[in-house]
């Protein structure tokens, strides 16, 4: 990665997969100009999810969250671009969809916090940790999109 490009981890949760929103979500990030560098469709284990959500392990909803997230397949993704962590979180909307603005993913497609269809890294540090948990280095594809000059200034 060059300059101030960064990577983030985004995951479409079981509710987003079951509702057929995968294509729409990917489309939004592609249209924004971000670059997809890794993607996998996976049925996560509870063990994997306990590692992923370790920072929430003391919260009363932790067991239910892990059980829910293990209830169906998810789409794990790594996206790259200028300020992708911050912008990606803005595109998702607030954790509680009731607080999300129209035009955000959660504002357009969600009603309750327990079915907010996506996870997005909240910092570059957590993104790096989550990417390493879900993907091997060789699964991250380094490539240059043909439209880069139309998205970024030199």
């Amino acid at each position: 990665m060059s300059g101030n490009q960064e990577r983030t981890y985004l995951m479409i949760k079981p509710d987003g997969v079951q509702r057929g929103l995968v294509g729409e979500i990917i489309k939004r990030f592609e249209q924004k100009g971000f670059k997809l560098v890794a993607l996998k469709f996976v049925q996560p284990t509870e063990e994997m999810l306990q590692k992923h959500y370790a920072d929430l392990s003391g919260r009363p909803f932790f067991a239910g969250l892990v059980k829910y997230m293990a209830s169906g397949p998810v789409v794990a993704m790594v996206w790259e671009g200028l300020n992708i962590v911050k912008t990606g979180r803005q595109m998702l909307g607030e954790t509680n969809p009731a607080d999300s603005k129209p035009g955000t993913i959660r504002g357009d497609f969600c009603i309750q916090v327990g079915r907010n269809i996506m996870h997005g890294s909240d910092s570059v540090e957590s993104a790096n940790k989550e990417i390493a948990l879900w993907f091997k280095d060789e699964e991250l594809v380094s490539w240059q999109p043909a439209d880069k000059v139309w998205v970024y200034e030199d």
Side-chain angles (χ1 to χ4, degrees):
M1 292 182 297
S2 62
N4 42 8
Q5 297 284 306
E6 61 189 26
R7 289 181 173 165
T8 195
Y9 175 76
L10 296 173
M11 177 171 48
I12 303 173
K13 297 178 179 182
D15 50 322
V17 171
Q18 291 289 339
R19 293 179 56 202
L21 297 173
V22 173
E24 176 64 32
I25 291 166
I26 290 172
K27 177 182 174 184
R28 287 183 182 215
F29 284 91
E30 284 182 326
Q31 285 181 330
K32 180 73 173 176
F34 292 125
K35 179 172 71 171
L36 182 64
V37 296
L39 179 141
K40 64 171 89 169
F41 187 62
V42 61
Q43 176 65 58
T45 64
E46 287 192 12
E47 179 183 3
M48 175 69 123
L49 293 163
Q50 287 168 351
K51 289 177 187 175
H52 178 83
Y53 288 114
D55 61 322
L56 300 175
S57 62
R59 305 292 293 268
F61 58 82
F62 179 72
L65 172 63
V66 169
K67 183 178 178 186
Y68 173 69
M69 289 297 297
S71 71
V74 301
V75 176
M77 302 175 286
V78 179
W79 289 86
E80 184 178 293
L82 181 64
N83 299 317
I84 182 66
V85 173
K86 179 182 178 185
T87 305
R89 297 278 295 183
Q90 290 172 338
M91 290 172 67
L92 291 183
E94 300 300 321
T95 301
N96 184 346
D99 298 330
S100 296
K101 295 180 180 177
T104 65
I105 292 167
R106 291 175 177 150
D108 289 349
F109 300 119
C110 307
I111 296 171
Q112 291 185 301
V113 70
R115 298 292 183 268
N116 67 2
I117 72 172
M118 287 202 71
H119 165 83
S121 299
D122 60 5
S123 69
V124 172
E125 295 74 27
S126 65
N128 292 335
K129 180 181 167 190
E130 292 168 352
I131 290 167
L133 178 65
W134 290 89
F135 292 92
K136 298 174 187 160
D137 284 343
E138 61 268 18
E139 293 176 307
L140 303 173
V141 179
S142 180
W143 65 287
Q144 288 300 326
D147 68 351
K148 183 179 178 188
V149 298
W150 302 112
V151 176
Y152 293 102
E153 297 177 33
D154 285 332

